[in-house]
Amino acid sequence: MKKLTGVYHNEQQHWVGDGFPVRTLFSYDRLGQAISPFLLLDYAAPYHFDPTLAQRGVGSHPHRGFETVTLAYKGEVTHKDSHGGGGTIKTGDVQWMTAGAGLVHQEFHSEDFAKTGGLFEMVQLWVNLPTADKMTAPKYQAIEAATFPQISLDAFGSQLRVIAGRFADQQGPAMTYSPVNVWDVSLKSEQVQDFYVPVGHNSLLVVLDGRVNVNITNEIVDHSVVLFANDADPHIHIEALSDAQFLILTGQPLNEPIEGYGPFVMNTQEEIIEAFNDFNNGKFGQIKAEI
């Protein structure tokens, strides 16, 4: 079975804007190349919002050099960006935004969700772009829940959704710039599954909810990420000690310098300075106002 190289747990919550109470479960500033091509994952655990007519979320802000991937488990988010991308993702949907050469975007609770209130639960994952694609034109993929292959893992209701990459003979709908797998797994209590990841990929297990036993001897609780060795053994063995929700992320490492500051992730400090200058000079565009 694949060797574990680290387990990281975070119960500290912080707010992103006034609409996203999140825990950062991993980030490149701490783990660096060990998680490449992934950069960061914020988990907004289930949080109840009261009804409101106010706009909750994050206003206009820039990105360059990577992609943001938002998985909606509960609630709704409306997105709009300066490259013309936009729409509302609802429960089960995924938003895959390629910032590339740079854009400005905003993310708010949808008007309908804000009016009714309710439970809100989401994940936002940052995926790095290879050097050759960092200045690609921005792109927006709004992928509806019904689009994802959903694979039954047992007779008790355990399931796996293929967001990106491939599981068994099923291909996920998300388009990516480097080889990655994003598997969204719901494993029922006392059920056991064996997962096989590509040799040569960096592999992470992100436990969002519940408790699992990994490779027989490692009990992992919610709000945790497990890093595995990039070795020749593809086998990961997982037993659910309670109903569990988790992500398995694998990706071919980019093996390129990572230089990041705030909303920009590039390869050199000079490129970060250039990103700030381009943004300040209006080269990322503006979000069109509604008429």
Side-chain angles (χ1 to χ4, degrees):
M1 288 181 282
K2 206 163 192 65
K3 180 182 178 182
L4 278 68
T5 60
V7 178
Y8 305 90
H9 177 76
N10 186 18
E11 287 293 352
Q12 293 186 334
Q13 178 182 288
H14 65 278
W15 284 84
V16 177
D18 63 357
F20 306 101
V22 305
R23 296 170 174 86
T24 300
L25 300 189
F26 66 76
S27 62
Y28 69 94
D29 57 353
R30 180 179 181 185
L31 299 173
Q33 297 289 350
I35 59 173
S36 176
F38 306 108
L39 293 168
L40 174 146
L41 186 142
D42 279 344
Y43 175 44
Y47 187 94
H48 185 272
F49 284 93
D50 292 330
T52 183
L53 296 178
Q55 197 174 45
R56 289 196 183 106
V58 183
S60 177
H61 61 284
H63 289 300
R64 172 181 278 182
F66 63 99
E67 303 181 285
T68 67
V69 182
T70 304
L71 284 69
Y73 289 102
K74 297 181 179 70
E76 299 180 359
V77 168
T78 297
H79 163 95
K80 186 187 293 186
D81 67 51
S82 59
H83 201 257
T88 296
I89 58 170
K90 303 180 180 182
T91 298
D93 295 347
V94 171
Q95 167 193 291
W96 198 296
M97 186 192 78
T98 304
L103 50 65
V104 175
H105 79 140
Q106 62 185 31
E107 300 164 288
F108 291 104
H109 294 185
S110 74
E111 185 176 348
D112 287 345
F113 179 77
K115 286 180 178 178
T116 61
L119 281 178
F120 186 90
E121 180 184 9
M122 302 221 172
V123 161
Q124 185 166 98
L125 170 70
W126 289 13
V127 182
N128 205 1
L129 286 169
T131 298
D133 297 308
K134 279 193 173 292
M135 296 297 285
T136 194
K139 183 171 64 175
Y140 180 78
Q141 302 175 69
I143 312 171
E144 295 184 353
T147 308
F148 299 105
Q150 191 153 294
I151 299 164
S152 176
L153 298 177
D154 55 43
F156 302 96
S158 301
Q159 294 183 326
L160 182 149
R161 292 196 308 159
V162 188
I163 307 298
R166 179 174 290 273
F167 183 86
D169 61 347
Q170 297 293 315
Q171 180 72 39
M175 297 174 59
T176 68
Y177 284 83
S178 64
V180 299
N181 291 298
V182 179
W183 301 335
D184 182 25
V185 184
S186 175
L187 194 59
K188 294 299 183 181
S189 181
E190 300 183 358
Q191 300 310 301
V192 176
Q193 285 293 322
D194 293 298
F195 300 92
Y196 294 87
V197 300
V199 173
H201 278 209
N202 285 335
S203 302
L204 298 80
L205 169 69
V206 183
V207 180
L208 304 174
D209 185 56
R211 294 182 302 118
V212 298
N213 198 308
V214 179
N215 292 352
I216 301 175
T217 59
N218 304 276
E219 183 173 333
I220 310 297
V221 298
D222 58 1
H223 309 154
S224 298
V225 58
V226 178
L227 270 59
F228 297 92
N230 189 340
D231 55 28
D233 192 332
H235 179 203
I236 299 173
H237 178 85
I238 300 179
E239 176 189 2
L241 303 177
S242 68
D243 287 356
Q245 186 77 38
F246 55 86
L247 295 168
I248 295 177
L249 310 175
T250 87
Q252 182 175 301
L254 301 181
N255 295 321
E256 297 170 349
I258 302 171
E259 187 72 37
Y261 192 94
F264 308 131
V265 181
M266 301 299 289
N267 298 122
T268 67
Q269 188 175 28
E270 290 75 18
E271 290 172 333
I272 295 295
I273 294 170
E274 182 182 20
F276 273 102
N277 289 337
D278 286 349
F279 169 64
N280 290 330
N281 290 326
K283 293 184 179 181
F284 284 22
Q286 294 182 335
I287 298 173
K288 292 182 180 180
E290 294 183 1
I291 299 175

